[in-house]
Amino acid sequence: IIDDNGCQITDTVNVAILPTPNAIAGLDLSICPGNSVQLSAVGGVAYSWSPDSTLDIPSLPNPVASPSVTTDYVVTVFDLNGCSDDDTLTVTVQDSIDADAGQPAGICLGDSVPLLASGGATYSWSPAAGLSDPNIANPMASPSVTTWYTVNVSSGTCGDFDSVQVLVNPPPVADAGPNVTICEGDTATLTGSGGSVIIWNSVDSIATILVSPDSTSTYTVLIQDF
């Protein structure tokens, strides 16, 4: 400093460069629609997250985020000296999935039917008993009793489930009637019962038939209940 008389004096001042904190927002995250996830930042003693509209407490290092759409969150980290640093992470909201277990089915005891699920990338059926492969979309089901099958469908981090019933119908009880004795040249009336479709000797689809065998004969009736 020089005054009006030309005298001068010198002084100095030190400017200290304080280190900048290292903000770490954490890894990017994925959630399903309607779900929440906890963030976790480190690097300072005070924190400020933005945008804060979908955070429970944006001043915490680990607020809970509940975005409805994919969102980039920025955290500002402060140290004891008031210095700050920023970092960003993305919370991706996955597409929702809709599990469909297919239509209910009815089978006869001992038969099989394919299950037809859709809606995702991976599938898991339960109960596994009676299924050809519980980890595919379309296993063959061969239950011994009427069974509700539930399929858990997933795609990425999201999942959904649905159920379908396989009805096991008991077999009909075929009744061909009592044995009949006739004289040669006479006619016998045979009546079958036990179901809605009655087929004699794989030919006649009626319940009652007239027969005139030339010799002692056996007649077989097939009963179907549909």
Side-chain angles (χ1 to χ4, degrees):
I1 297 175
I2 302 174
D3 62 13
D4 293 339
N5 300 312
C7 300
Q8 66 180 28
I9 189 172
T10 301
D11 197 9
T12 61
V13 61
N14 291 324
V15 177
I17 306 299
L18 300 174
T20 300
N22 182 24
I24 301 176
L27 298 176
D28 292 339
L29 302 168
S30 295
I31 63 172
C32 299
N35 288 357
S36 300
V37 66
Q38 189 167 39
L39 310 183
S40 182
V42 295
V45 296
Y47 300 83
S48 176
W49 289 89
S50 65
D52 58 7
S53 59
T54 55
L55 301 175
D56 61 344
I57 307 177
S59 60
L60 290 178
N62 55 349
V64 174
S66 306
S68 58
V69 296
T70 296
T71 302
D72 293 327
Y73 290 99
V74 178
V75 62
T76 301
V77 174
F78 300 89
D79 63 12
L80 290 174
N81 299 311
C83 298
S84 65
D85 187 30
D86 295 335
D87 193 20
T88 302
L89 68 80
T90 300
V91 176
T92 300
V93 180
Q94 301 279 355
D95 293 335
S96 61
I97 64 173
D98 186 14
D100 185 355
Q103 297 299 312
I107 62 172
C108 297
L109 182 63
D111 289 345
S112 301
V113 65
L115 304 181
L116 300 172
S118 61
T122 61
Y123 300 84
S124 177
W125 290 91
S126 63
L131 298 181
S132 59
D133 186 344
N135 297 313
I136 61 176
N138 55 345
M140 295 297 296
S142 307
S144 58
V145 296
T146 296
T147 302
W148 277 96
Y149 289 102
T150 298
V151 62
N152 286 292
V153 178
S154 63
S155 179
T157 58
C158 300
D160 192 23
F161 67 91
D162 193 23
S163 298
V164 65
Q165 185 187 56
V166 176
L167 177 66
V168 178
N169 297 297
V173 178
D175 185 0
N179 294 331
V180 179
T181 301
I182 62 173
C183 297
E184 186 177 359
D186 287 348
T187 300
T189 300
L190 305 181
T191 300
S193 62
S196 56
V197 177
I198 301 174
I199 302 174
W200 284 98
N201 281 22
S202 303
V203 176
D204 298 309
S205 299
I206 56 176
T208 300
I209 62 172
L210 297 177
V211 297
S212 300
D214 295 332
S215 61
T216 298
S217 301
T218 298
Y219 292 87
T220 301
V221 65
L222 171 66
I223 304 297
Q224 296 178 335
D225 59 0
F226 60 84

